[in-house]
Amino acid sequence: MTTLRFGQHVIKASAVFLQTELSFALVNRKPVVPGHVLVCPLRPVERFRDLRPDEVADLFSMTQRVASVVEKHFCGTSLTIAMQDGPEAGQTVKHVHVHVLPRKTGDFERNDSVYDELQKHDKENEDVPSKWRTEEEMAAEASALRKLFS
């Protein structure tokens, strides 16, 4: 696997659990709920409108596959699938990405609070390494998920 980038971040192969010719899926270093993962195009494109039609198709096909697996694996009963497209929408990493979050009854007191958490989860003042999961934790989760796709 070549070196993958997620905006300004270099992604370790150990965090990636699925890859196609045009997209990749990775575990999140600071998940909002257990199983919160990201699906990204391989090409580092900042805005959704700048993706080619084949990249859009692959991104959403992969998102659908990933969503089905993480919902089942993390014992979810529903999914929140979200994309923040542009800074005013809350996008902090300048690379298109889809958030996939397995959901359960009562995981948030107010259901839409999930969006508040997404909004702040990568803000610079909130995004401190002490709140991140370890590389080992991320690698273990990615490894478990990888097996579900083989």
Side-chain angles (χ1 to χ4, degrees):
M1 173 165 42
T2 58
T3 300
L4 296 178
R5 296 197 70 82
F6 175 47
Q8 67 272 31
H9 308 285
V10 173
I11 301 302
K12 290 189 172 352
S14 60
V16 175
F17 62 89
L18 186 62
Q19 185 174 340
T20 64
E21 287 182 30
L22 299 174
S23 305
F24 67 102
L26 69 152
V27 298
N28 202 322
R29 70 181 178 193
K30 211 172 83 184
V32 169
V33 295
H36 174 191
V37 298
L38 303 175
V39 182
C40 314
L42 282 172
R43 190 167 63 96
V45 174
E46 187 172 338
R47 297 292 307 276
F48 183 70
R49 66 176 173 237
D50 298 325
L51 291 172
R52 300 183 315 256
D54 60 336
E55 290 171 317
V56 172
D58 193 75
L59 181 70
F60 278 96
S61 176
M62 181 184 268
T63 297
Q64 187 178 46
R65 283 177 67 200
V66 165
S68 177
V69 167
V70 298
E71 180 179 6
K72 188 179 297 173
H73 183 70
F74 289 94
C75 304
T77 52
S78 297
L79 293 157
T80 293
I81 298 171
M83 180 187 301
Q84 297 154 304
D85 190 34
E88 290 73 30
Q91 181 183 18
T92 54
V93 177
K94 295 179 177 186
H95 188 144
V96 172
H97 57 287
V98 180
H99 294 265
V100 179
L101 299 92
R103 301 291 306 276
K104 299 176 184 176
T105 301
D107 55 3
F108 288 93
E109 192 173 324
R110 208 181 107 262
N111 191 50
D112 280 355
S113 293
V114 68
Y115 300 108
D116 299 332
E117 290 301 313
L118 276 175
Q119 181 79 18
K120 70 181 187 185
H121 110 288
D122 273 340
K123 287 261 190 283
E124 287 308 315
N125 60 351
E126 293 278 329
D127 197 23
V128 291
S130 62
K131 293 185 179 180
W132 300 348
R133 295 194 295 169
T134 66
E135 285 184 27
E136 294 77 18
E137 289 170 314
M138 292 172 62
E141 182 174 291
S143 177
L145 288 172
R146 210 173 290 121
K147 290 175 184 149
L148 301 174
F149 290 96
S150 52

